[in-house]
Amino acid sequence: MTELTFDEQGLIPVIVQDAETNEVLTLAYMNQESYELTLKDQLMTFYSRSRKELWRKGETSGNYQHLVSLKLDCDQDALVAKVKKDGPACHTGAESCFNELLYGEADHKATIDALYKLVKGRKEAPQEGSYTSYLFEKGVEKILKKVGEESTEVVIGAMKEDHKETVFEISDLVYHVLVLMVEMGIDLTEVRQELANRHVVDKKVKQERMQ
């Protein structure tokens, strides 16, 4: 078993990332005991340098971080943990502890996760003039109608072999599917898990055919 290289205080830094988005959530420290507890319970457990004690993320807030994977760097003195989180990573309520931009431009990359979160927010807190809020107000029949319309638009664009139009219509379809998911209480993690399950089955079938 690979041994970790702890510093003179018996600690090793741990970079924590969201397993779904790869966003860096926080930087914390582990000692041998917190490291072993993390592996045992699959819940991120750290050592507080200020309080001189162990602490489990989410123990007081409920925002637990469930361990997905743990990697060691080439010098064996730093860790990267990927987690599934039950809530915000930062004690301020922010999703990540890294929010203050010191150099460069802010990252405004549009992701499925960010769009899903925005759509969900429009359902939980409707805004006047918001198209998304309007769809939720009209209900599932209206949402299903839009999903059907956008699916047809994708087919039309693809049949015309119009790359730009097809990309545009696929984007509309993805958006409306996310609205449907939120309306039905379907989380992105459920879809990811279903796709992962299919990948495993497909891989197994392929291996059986090769035998």
Side-chain angles (χ1 to χ4, degrees):
M1 182 176 179
T2 303
E3 293 188 4
L4 308 186
T5 301
F6 295 93
D7 64 18
E8 61 277 4
Q9 296 178 318
L11 303 177
I12 188 169
V14 187
I15 300 168
V16 182
Q17 284 183 282
D18 189 307
E20 296 179 358
T21 66
N22 286 325
E23 181 179 14
V24 176
L25 301 176
T26 192
L27 170 65
Y29 291 83
M30 286 181 176
N31 62 6
Q32 184 68 46
E33 185 179 1
S34 62
Y35 167 72
E36 292 174 357
L37 283 171
T38 295
L39 293 179
K40 176 177 176 291
D41 301 329
Q42 284 87 57
L43 291 172
M44 297 306 295
T45 306
F46 306 106
Y47 182 82
S48 171
R49 294 179 298 169
S50 58
R51 300 193 304 272
K52 309 294 183 185
E53 63 182 16
L54 298 181
W55 63 283
R56 172 161 285 171
K57 175 61 182 174
E59 206 160 40
T60 57
S61 65
N63 298 328
Y64 290 99
Q65 293 179 346
H66 305 267
L67 181 65
V68 173
S69 68
L70 193 63
K71 289 185 177 181
L72 183 64
D73 79 335
C74 58
D75 293 323
Q76 302 177 338
D77 60 0
L79 297 166
V80 174
K82 289 197 173 184
V83 304
K84 288 185 177 180
K85 57 190 181 69
D86 290 338
C90 186
H91 71 281
T92 63
E95 293 299 317
S96 168
C97 292
F98 294 92
N99 295 296
E100 186 176 352
L101 183 66
L102 299 179
Y103 176 79
E105 296 182 359
D107 186 1
H108 295 300
K109 289 182 180 178
T111 65
I112 293 292
D113 296 86
L115 182 55
Y116 181 89
K117 184 178 178 181
L118 177 63
V119 170
K120 189 175 181 181
R122 290 292 187 269
K123 180 174 177 62
E124 295 172 347
Q127 292 189 10
E128 186 176 353
S130 165
Y131 174 66
T132 308
S133 297
Y134 161 77
L135 289 175
F136 287 127
E137 181 185 346
K138 292 299 181 181
V140 68
E141 288 189 10
K142 177 66 174 179
I143 296 170
L144 287 172
K145 182 179 178 182
K146 291 302 299 182
V147 170
E149 290 175 358
E150 297 305 336
S151 298
T152 301
E153 293 295 333
V154 170
V155 173
I156 292 172
M159 289 182 67
K160 293 192 301 184
E161 298 186 357
D162 188 323
H163 183 91
K164 186 175 181 180
E165 180 179 338
T166 305
V167 169
F168 182 86
E169 298 301 345
I170 287 175
S171 300
D172 274 350
L173 176 58
V174 169
Y175 160 75
H176 285 93
V177 167
L178 290 177
V179 174
L180 177 62
M181 288 173 61
V182 171
E183 178 68 17
M184 295 184 65
I186 300 172
D187 193 83
L188 278 171
T189 55
E190 296 179 71
V191 177
R192 288 193 177 98
Q193 186 58 57
E194 176 62 24
L195 292 172
N197 293 341
R198 293 183 185 188
H199 174 71
V200 171
V201 171
D202 183 61
K203 186 176 181 181
K204 184 178 179 181
V205 171
K206 189 178 294 184
Q207 289 174 340
E208 290 174 349
R209 288 176 178 175
M210 293 175 65
Q211 292 177 354

